[in-house]
Amino acid sequence: EAQVTQNPRYLITVTGKKLTVTCSQNMNHEYMSWYRQDPGLGLRQIYYSMNVEVTDKGDVPEGYKVSRKEKRNFPLILESPSPNQTSLYFCASSSLGGLGLNYGYTFGSGTRLTVV
Amino acid sequence: AQKVTQAQTEISVVEKEDVTLDCVYETRDTTYYLFWYKQPPSGELVFLIRRNSFDEQNEISGRYSWNFQKSTSSFNFTITASQVVDSAVYFCALSFPNTGNQFYFGTGTSLTVIP
């Protein structure tokens, strides 16, 4: 089954304790991205990657890191989490068509992170 | 500036009523894509439709239809004969293939279908 797998689904952590949310897709998609969803703000892009070793900042990259060492994996790293990073996080992937056209995302199931 | 506006924060309809979710976007680019996604109570995000800026044909898929009008920068979504399973948050989104495929999402419209 074609899917984007995120882990964990739920995570409660303390301020300052480094954490990684994993994301893996099995569709050989070039494009992967991380979003956070907050009430009233919709989905905001954190980072994206158009291919292996190619990553770039989205709208709200502060406090996050990513890496794309393999095509299928795109982990999100919070080096020193803070309470304002409490949110619902989504990983997404997409195939890029000709001219870099984005054919719509497949999203992971989400990770609900609480930082206390 | 690129922007997507979903002015309707919450909508409630009675089952079998038709409902239209509005989406208005802003861009100066001529090449872009528009999307609708559904987020049911379980939380996952489900792709519904993609439309490119050069194709203004309306589209119908079962009870769902989409009306794309460049003249008013709108990409509205209509559900005909709504059902309880349509209860969800619906997001409209805009992306630009020429600038890194950045996606811009609206803030979502929460639809409740009352049985």
Side-chain angles (χ1 to χ4, degrees):
Chain A
E1 180 190 349
Q3 60 186 1
V4 176
T5 304
Q6 277 180 246
N7 281 297
R9 289 291 307 276
Y10 301 92
L11 179 60
I12 301 175
T13 190
V14 296
T15 299
K17 185 176 181 182
K18 181 179 178 179
L19 67 92
T20 299
V21 184
T22 62
C23 174
S24 181
Q25 51 95 1
N26 62 1
M27 295 164 282
N28 202 36
H29 283 169
E30 300 90 352
Y31 189 88
M32 297 186 75
S33 184
W34 277 101
Y35 287 83
R36 61 178 288 174
Q37 182 179 5
D38 301 290
L41 298 176
L43 289 123
R44 295 179 293 167
Q45 192 176 47
I46 303 170
Y47 270 94
Y48 65 94
S49 168
M50 295 188 74
N51 216 323
V52 176
E53 302 291 1
V54 180
T55 63
D56 210 344
K57 296 177 181 178
D59 288 328
V60 288
E62 294 77 23
Y64 304 95
K65 284 176 56 178
V66 293
S67 68
R68 188 91 181 272
K69 293 184 170 57
E70 306 164 284
K71 198 171 186 180
R72 63 184 295 125
N73 295 324
F74 190 46
L76 179 69
I77 303 156
L78 285 73
E79 294 270 3
S80 182
S82 62
N84 65 12
Q85 292 178 297
T86 292
S87 187
L88 177 58
Y89 291 85
F90 286 99
C91 180
S93 74
S94 173
S95 173
L96 294 179
L99 302 177
L101 301 176
N102 196 326
Y103 283 88
Y105 282 132
T106 299
F107 283 91
S109 300
T111 295
R112 189 166 292 282
L113 172 65
T114 303
V115 183
V116 298
Chain B
Q2 336 280 16
K3 188 176 175 182
V4 177
T5 301
Q6 294 179 255
Q8 304 151 308
T9 306
E10 295 182 0
I11 300 176
S12 292
V13 298
V14 176
E15 200 170 20
K16 297 184 183 175
E17 287 184 347
D18 299 347
V19 58
T20 295
L21 310 182
D22 298 333
C23 174
V24 174
Y25 62 93
E26 289 178 39
T27 181
R28 292 183 180 178
D29 283 37
T30 56
T31 303
Y32 53 88
Y33 277 74
L34 292 160
F35 299 82
W36 276 95
Y37 288 86
K38 174 181 180 181
Q39 186 177 40
S42 51
E44 72 271 23
L45 285 154
V46 179
F47 167 79
L48 294 178
I49 190 172
R50 175 183 66 100
R51 221 7 154 219
N52 76 58
S53 53
F54 302 109
D55 181 4
E56 283 192 76
Q57 276 193 342
N58 291 332
E59 181 154 341
I60 298 174
S61 176
R63 295 184 298 104
Y64 294 172
S65 62
W66 291 270
N67 184 309
F68 176 26
Q69 292 197 339
K70 287 178 76 170
S71 60
T72 55
S73 296
S74 64
F75 186 44
N76 296 338
F77 173 30
T78 297
I79 302 174
T80 303
S82 60
Q83 300 176 0
V84 172
V85 292
D86 296 326
S87 296
V89 180
Y90 291 87
F91 290 96
C92 181
L94 174 66
S95 79
F96 300 92
N98 297 330
T99 53
N101 284 296
Q102 174 73 303
F103 260 59
Y104 297 87
F105 283 88
T107 51
T109 297
S110 177
L111 173 66
T112 300
V113 180
I114 303 164

